[in-house]
Short mmCIF file of all heavy atoms in Angstrom, two decimals:
data_model
loop_
_atom_site.label_atom_id
_atom_site.label_comp_id
_atom_site.label_asym_id
_atom_site.label_seq_id
_atom_site.Cartn_x
_atom_site.Cartn_y
_atom_site.Cartn_z
N TYR A 30 38.17 122.13 167.69
CA TYR A 30 38.33 121.43 168.97
C TYR A 30 37.07 121.81 169.74
O TYR A 30 36.91 122.98 170.11
CB TYR A 30 39.54 121.94 169.74
CG TYR A 30 40.89 121.55 169.15
CD1 TYR A 30 41.76 122.53 168.71
CD2 TYR A 30 41.28 120.22 169.08
CE1 TYR A 30 43.01 122.19 168.21
CE2 TYR A 30 42.53 119.87 168.57
CZ TYR A 30 43.39 120.86 168.13
OH TYR A 30 44.61 120.53 167.63
N GLY A 31 36.18 120.89 169.98
CA GLY A 31 34.91 121.23 170.62
C GLY A 31 34.22 122.31 169.81
O GLY A 31 34.00 122.16 168.61
N SER A 33 35.50 125.32 169.39
CA SER A 33 36.47 126.27 168.82
C SER A 33 36.81 125.92 167.38
O SER A 33 37.35 124.83 167.11
CB SER A 33 37.77 126.26 169.63
OG SER A 33 37.50 126.40 170.99
N ILE A 35 39.16 126.23 164.55
CA ILE A 35 40.59 126.57 164.52
C ILE A 35 41.12 126.72 163.09
O ILE A 35 41.86 127.65 162.79
CB ILE A 35 41.43 125.49 165.26
CG1 ILE A 35 40.89 125.25 166.68
CG2 ILE A 35 42.91 125.87 165.29
CD1 ILE A 35 41.06 126.39 167.65
N LEU A 36 40.78 125.79 162.21
CA LEU A 36 41.25 125.89 160.81
C LEU A 36 40.09 126.38 159.95
O LEU A 36 38.97 125.87 160.05
CB LEU A 36 41.76 124.54 160.30
CG LEU A 36 42.91 123.89 161.06
CD1 LEU A 36 43.36 122.61 160.35
CD2 LEU A 36 44.09 124.85 161.22
N GLY A 53 54.83 129.59 160.76
CA GLY A 53 53.80 130.50 161.27
C GLY A 53 54.01 130.75 162.74
O GLY A 53 54.70 129.97 163.41
N ARG A 54 53.39 131.84 163.21
CA ARG A 54 53.56 132.18 164.63
C ARG A 54 52.84 131.16 165.51
O ARG A 54 52.00 130.39 165.02
CB ARG A 54 52.96 133.56 164.89
CG ARG A 54 53.69 134.64 164.15
CD ARG A 54 53.13 135.98 164.56
NE ARG A 54 53.64 137.01 163.66
CZ ARG A 54 53.90 138.25 164.04
NH1 ARG A 54 53.68 138.63 165.28
NH2 ARG A 54 54.35 139.12 163.17
N ASN A 55 53.11 131.22 166.81
CA ASN A 55 52.41 130.36 167.77
C ASN A 55 50.91 130.54 167.61
O ASN A 55 50.43 131.67 167.50
CB ASN A 55 52.76 130.74 169.22
CG ASN A 55 54.16 130.28 169.57
OD1 ASN A 55 54.72 129.42 168.90
ND2 ASN A 55 54.70 130.85 170.62
N GLY A 56 50.20 129.43 167.60
CA GLY A 56 48.74 129.49 167.53
C GLY A 56 48.18 129.65 166.13
O GLY A 56 46.96 129.75 165.95
N ALA A 57 49.03 129.63 165.11
CA ALA A 57 48.56 129.84 163.73
C ALA A 57 47.74 128.65 163.22
O ALA A 57 46.96 128.79 162.28
CB ALA A 57 49.76 130.06 162.80
N GLY A 58 47.94 127.48 163.85
CA GLY A 58 47.17 126.30 163.44
C GLY A 58 48.01 125.21 162.78
O GLY A 58 47.47 124.29 162.16
N LYS A 59 49.32 125.26 162.96
CA LYS A 59 50.21 124.30 162.28
C LYS A 59 50.02 122.88 162.87
O LYS A 59 49.82 121.93 162.12
CB LYS A 59 51.68 124.74 162.42
CG LYS A 59 51.91 126.17 161.92
CD LYS A 59 53.34 126.62 162.09
CE LYS A 59 53.85 126.67 163.53
NZ LYS A 59 53.18 127.68 164.39
N THR A 60 50.10 122.78 164.19
CA THR A 60 49.92 121.47 164.84
C THR A 60 48.51 120.94 164.54
O THR A 60 48.34 119.75 164.26
CB THR A 60 50.13 121.60 166.36
OG1 THR A 60 51.48 121.97 166.58
CG2 THR A 60 49.84 120.31 167.09
N THR A 61 47.54 121.83 164.59
CA THR A 61 46.16 121.40 164.33
C THR A 61 46.03 120.87 162.91
O THR A 61 45.29 119.91 162.67
CB THR A 61 45.20 122.58 164.58
OG1 THR A 61 45.43 123.09 165.90
CG2 THR A 61 43.75 122.15 164.45
N THR A 62 46.77 121.45 161.97
CA THR A 62 46.73 120.96 160.59
C THR A 62 47.24 119.51 160.54
O THR A 62 46.60 118.64 159.94
CB THR A 62 47.58 121.87 159.67
OG1 THR A 62 47.01 123.18 159.71
CG2 THR A 62 47.59 121.38 158.24
N LYS A 64 47.37 117.33 163.02
CA LYS A 64 46.43 116.45 163.74
C LYS A 64 45.18 116.20 162.92
O LYS A 64 44.62 115.11 162.92
CB LYS A 64 46.04 117.09 165.08
CG LYS A 64 47.14 117.00 166.10
CD LYS A 64 46.64 117.38 167.46
CE LYS A 64 47.71 117.15 168.50
NZ LYS A 64 47.42 117.87 169.75
N GLU A 102 54.77 116.55 168.81
CA GLU A 102 55.73 117.41 169.49
C GLU A 102 56.13 116.83 170.85
O GLU A 102 57.28 116.89 171.25
CB GLU A 102 55.06 118.78 169.66
CG GLU A 102 55.97 119.88 170.06
CD GLU A 102 55.22 121.21 170.12
OE1 GLU A 102 54.06 121.31 169.67
OE2 GLU A 102 55.83 122.16 170.63
N ASP A 174 56.25 117.04 163.98
CA ASP A 174 55.85 118.29 164.63
C ASP A 174 57.00 118.80 165.50
O ASP A 174 57.31 118.19 166.52
CB ASP A 174 54.58 118.07 165.46
CG ASP A 174 53.92 119.40 165.84
OD1 ASP A 174 54.49 120.47 165.53
OD2 ASP A 174 52.83 119.35 166.43
N GLU A 175 57.62 119.88 165.08
CA GLU A 175 58.71 120.53 165.82
C GLU A 175 59.80 119.54 166.27
O GLU A 175 60.05 119.41 167.47
CB GLU A 175 58.15 121.29 167.03
CG GLU A 175 57.03 122.22 166.62
CD GLU A 175 57.20 123.64 167.10
OE1 GLU A 175 58.25 123.95 167.67
OE2 GLU A 175 56.28 124.42 166.86
N VAL A 205 56.42 120.65 160.76
CA VAL A 205 56.14 121.94 161.39
C VAL A 205 57.40 122.29 162.15
O VAL A 205 57.93 121.45 162.88
CB VAL A 205 54.95 121.84 162.37
CG1 VAL A 205 54.88 123.05 163.29
CG2 VAL A 205 53.64 121.69 161.60
N GLN A 207 59.64 125.67 164.14
CA GLN A 207 59.82 127.08 164.52
C GLN A 207 61.23 127.54 164.16
O GLN A 207 61.47 128.72 163.97
CB GLN A 207 59.66 127.26 166.04
CG GLN A 207 58.28 126.98 166.57
CD GLN A 207 57.31 128.11 166.29
OE1 GLN A 207 57.62 129.08 165.61
NE2 GLN A 207 56.10 127.98 166.81
N MET A 222 51.44 129.92 157.60
CA MET A 222 50.06 129.92 158.11
C MET A 222 49.82 131.08 159.05
O MET A 222 50.72 131.51 159.78
CB MET A 222 49.78 128.62 158.88
CG MET A 222 49.69 127.40 157.99
SD MET A 222 49.05 125.96 158.89
CE MET A 222 47.34 126.48 159.15
P1 LIG B 20 52.31 126.34 168.38
O1 LIG B 20 53.65 126.58 167.80
O2 LIG B 20 52.00 127.23 169.53
O3 LIG B 20 51.98 124.90 168.62
P2 LIG B 20 50.51 126.14 166.15
O4 LIG B 20 50.55 126.98 164.92
O5 LIG B 20 50.93 124.73 166.04
O6 LIG B 20 51.31 126.88 167.27
P3 LIG B 20 48.07 125.06 167.15
O7 LIG B 20 48.72 124.29 168.24
O8 LIG B 20 47.57 124.34 165.97
O9 LIG B 20 49.03 126.22 166.67
O10 LIG B 20 46.90 125.91 167.81
C1 LIG B 20 45.97 126.68 167.05
C2 LIG B 20 44.91 127.22 167.99
O11 LIG B 20 44.16 126.14 168.51
C3 LIG B 20 45.45 127.99 169.18
O12 LIG B 20 44.63 129.11 169.38
C4 LIG B 20 45.30 127.01 170.33
O13 LIG B 20 45.06 127.70 171.53
C5 LIG B 20 44.09 126.20 169.94
N1 LIG B 20 44.13 124.83 170.45
C6 LIG B 20 45.15 123.95 170.30
N2 LIG B 20 44.85 122.76 170.89
C7 LIG B 20 43.60 122.88 171.39
C8 LIG B 20 42.72 122.00 172.13
N3 LIG B 20 43.07 120.74 172.40
N4 LIG B 20 41.52 122.50 172.48
C9 LIG B 20 41.15 123.78 172.18
N5 LIG B 20 41.93 124.65 171.51
C10 LIG B 20 43.14 124.22 171.12
#
Side-chain angles (χ1 to χ4, degrees):
Y30 289 118
S33 311
I35 307 292
L36 301 184
R54 296 186 191 213
N55 286 342
K59 305 179 298 294
T60 296
T61 306
T62 299
K64 285 191 174 162
E102 193 176 350
D174 196 355
E175 308 231 6
V205 165
Q207 295 283 6
M222 289 191 69

